[in-house]
Amino acid sequence: MAPALLLVPAALASFILAFGTGVEFVRFPSLRPLLGGISESGGPDARQGWLAALQDQSILVPLAWDLGLLLLFVGQHSLMATETVKSWMFRYFGVLQRSLYVACTALALQLVMRYWEPVPRGPVLWEARAEPWATWVPLLCFVLHVISWLLIFSILLVFDYAELMGLKQVYYHVLGLGEPLALKSPRALRLFSHLRHPVCVELLTVLWVVPTLGTDRLLLALLLTLYLGLAHGLDQQDLRYLRAQLQRKLHLLSRPQDGEAE
């Protein structure tokens, strides 16, 4: 087990990496297609049909590369979340297990964003080119993306963000308070076992609601939609607990300052 003085900087470095990656991820699925999606996709003469695209190496090669990047991210995100790998990581890295998982996830996502290959000559599933759709559809998509990201940030506040990032585990360890999950109720543990991604609907909106859905964007949306769908297993009991926690957090945030001091 690493000394306490080394645990805190390591956890903070992982948090900074994950936070910076999250900020950059806002740009990757939202700002890039909304601000430059139509201009990057080329004109109508450059478009090919879906059957012709399956025989075009200039389309298949970047798609295969993008698919490999996505599978790398999904594989890392899923494999390191298994109980076997988590037990192995905890044996060698101790309380830094969650921080290491977060850092590896951030690095895998960085690889996807930095080395993603657009397919400008590929076919498109839909595109808003004619007026007034060319003006209003991007604006509507922009508004929906802003609302979705605001909801994502709000939902993360409802959950234990410090624990998700691995900071709370190190903090509790340094103070000798034990494991944070051991202090949570059985209802909370049940919810966490069923819900790996608390912002599924909002992320799906960001992935699909775009003015131009090109070939590489379709691959990104399809694969991540499938992954998000498989990662969820909520039932009515989970939803009731989640609703109660949201109401409790909103009540605490709305309390006056003097009431909190008491």
Side-chain angles (χ1 to χ4, degrees), residues 36-62:
I38 295 179
S39 62
E40 290 180 358
S41 58
D45 295 337
R47 302 309 175 89
Q48 304 186 35
W50 291 96
L51 292 179
L54 296 177
Q55 304 174 2
D56 192 334
Q57 294 297 320
S58 65
I59 296 176
L60 293 179
V61 171

Side-chain angles (χ1 to χ4, degrees), residues 121-141:
R121 296 185 61 249
V124 295
L125 193 60
W126 67 69
E127 181 179 20
R129 296 187 64 90
E131 293 294 345
W133 310 114
T135 299
W136 290 106
V137 171
L139 180 60
L140 176 62
C141 292

Side-chain angles (χ1 to χ4, degrees), residues 238-253:
D238 293 323
L239 293 176
R240 286 194 298 268
Y241 172 76
L242 187 58
R243 188 183 303 112
Q245 290 300 305
L246 176 60
Q247 293 174 351
R248 185 178 67 86
K249 292 291 181 72
L250 292 176
H251 175 70
L252 292 176
L253 292 175

Side-chain angles (χ1 to χ4, degrees), residues 179-190:
E179 173 64 33
L181 284 178
L183 303 178
K184 292 188 178 296
S185 66
R187 296 176 65 192
L189 296 176
R190 185 177 188 275

Side-chain angles (χ1 to χ4, degrees), residues 1-3 7 10 80 85-101 104 170 173:
M1 189 74 65
L7 294 177
M80 294 187 67
V85 176
K86 287 195 295 186
S87 299
W88 179 86
M89 291 172 58
F90 186 81
R91 184 189 312 161
Y92 291 98
F93 298 97
V95 73
L96 288 177
Q97 177 263 326
R98 181 66 187 181
S99 296
L100 181 61
Y101 172 78
C104 291
V170 174
H173 175 78

